Amino acid sequence: MFLREAIARTMSDRLGWFWMVAEPVFFTLIMVAIRSFIRGDALIVGAPFIPWMVVGLMGFFLVREGMMRGLGAVKANQALFAYRQVRPVDPVLVRNALEGLLRSLIFLLFIFGGMLLKVEALAPDDALLALAWWLSLWLLGLALGLIVSVLATLISEVAIVLRMMIMPLLILSGVIFPIHHMPHWMREYLLLNPIVHGLERLRGGFFEGYWLVPGTSAPYYWMVTLALLSLGLMLHLRFRHRLMAQ
């Protein structure tokens, strides 16, 4: 199943590899252009603006793709359920494992490219901490993907709602603009989003002197992530037969 998904993911479109790399590059270029108007460097304490934004984009894309790849995972592999050993949860796990591997390779390309261009800030100051939080964000994407795969299969309108939520979620997760300067009452609501906590900790692994957003909490992140992961697995267990019959 992994090889099947890998071929479909990378070979079905002649420009598949190009767009996987080009998307974050184009986002970064657009934000650099906007930075000249908002003086982005002055908004970040302890980290250069462009590397700060690249790390945030990479982490967010990892979570986003983990969630969105779960949308059609069950229906796309419906024929494989004729084999007794294949369950609806299997294609979701395979897709997320593949996506995590691809996103990791793309992130490494960015890091090596930054080193070649002498953008040393893209190299993590604490590689183990950065790796730990990169894997943590992947696990959050997996948890969301498990939930989405069940809901979108049973209720087709869920896919439409999720696609509408992606851009607002990008902004509200502190990916492009820092939330340090948000009003305190607004920051309290934004910190309910576990992606904010994961991205801030990931940036903390890349930039030694980076000031984390006050209120970020690793225990809160893991509590929410494990709760979502448990919910996703329970949904697959509860609706296994309906998913196989769709």
Side-chain angles (χ1 to χ4, degrees):
M1 287 184 69
F2 185 87
L3 292 176
R4 181 174 180 268
E5 287 292 338
I7 293 172
R9 179 78 172 89
T10 59
M11 302 298 179
S12 60
D13 186 351
R14 288 180 296 179
L15 296 177
W17 280 102
F18 170 77
W19 285 115
M20 280 190 287
V21 178
E23 181 184 15
V25 171
F26 289 157
F27 257 90
T28 303
L29 291 176
I30 293 171
M31 291 304 109
V32 168
I34 296 175
R35 187 197 63 170
S36 62
F37 296 100
I38 66 171
R39 297 174 60 191
D41 286 330
L43 300 177
I44 312 298
V45 179
F49 180 70
I50 295 178
W52 176 90
M53 186 170 54
V54 170
V55 172
L57 285 171
M58 292 290 104
F60 180 81
F61 289 155
L62 179 65
V63 177
R64 183 197 68 178
E65 292 303 315
M67 178 175 64
M68 299 305 290
R69 291 294 163 188
L71 283 177
V74 175
K75 289 187 177 180
N77 294 273
Q78 201 76 33
L80 297 180
F81 298 154
Y83 298 95
R84 293 181 58 187
Q85 63 269 36
V86 180
R87 295 290 182 266
V89 70
D90 295 333
V92 183
L93 297 175
V94 168
R95 283 193 173 192
N96 273 270
L98 175 63
E99 196 62 38
L101 178 60
L102 293 175
R103 289 290 161 182
S104 299
L105 292 175
I106 292 170
F107 200 6
L108 288 175
L109 288 177
F110 267 77
I111 293 174
F112 291 142
M115 294 175 66
L116 290 176
L117 296 173
K118 300 187 184 303
V119 184
E120 298 295 339
L122 265 179
D125 292 327
D126 190 335
L128 290 178
L129 181 62
L131 177 60
W133 281 101
W134 178 257
L135 295 175
S136 301
L137 286 167
W138 171 81
L139 188 64
L140 176 59
L142 171 62
L144 293 172
L146 288 169
I147 296 173
V148 164
S149 63
V150 175
L151 297 181
T153 303
L154 300 178
I155 309 171
S156 58
E157 291 78 10
V158 169
I160 300 174
V161 175
L162 281 176
R163 292 189 177 97
M164 293 172 59
M165 290 174 54
I166 290 300
M167 185 54 67
L169 188 61
L170 175 72
I171 298 172
L172 297 177
S173 297
V175 177
I176 299 174
F177 302 105
I179 64 176
H180 290 80
H181 305 282
M182 295 289 184
H184 180 72
W185 65 268
M186 185 182 297
R187 194 188 308 162
E188 287 184 340
Y189 289 105
L190 293 177
L191 286 174
L192 294 175
N193 178 5
I195 301 177
V196 174
H197 298 258
L199 292 182
E200 286 298 298
R201 296 288 171 164
L202 178 64
R203 286 164 172 155
F206 272 82
F207 314 112
E208 186 176 8
Y210 178 59
W211 286 16
L212 299 177
V213 174
T216 54
S217 168
Y220 173 80
Y221 176 88
W222 279 107
M223 180 180 67
V224 175
T225 299
L226 293 177
L228 292 174
L229 185 63
S230 300
L231 176 61
L233 292 173
M234 286 190 293
L235 286 173
H236 269 274
L237 184 62
R238 170 64 178 81
F239 296 104
R240 184 183 66 182
H241 297 294
R242 288 186 61 184
L243 293 174
M244 296 177 69
Q246 286 289 322

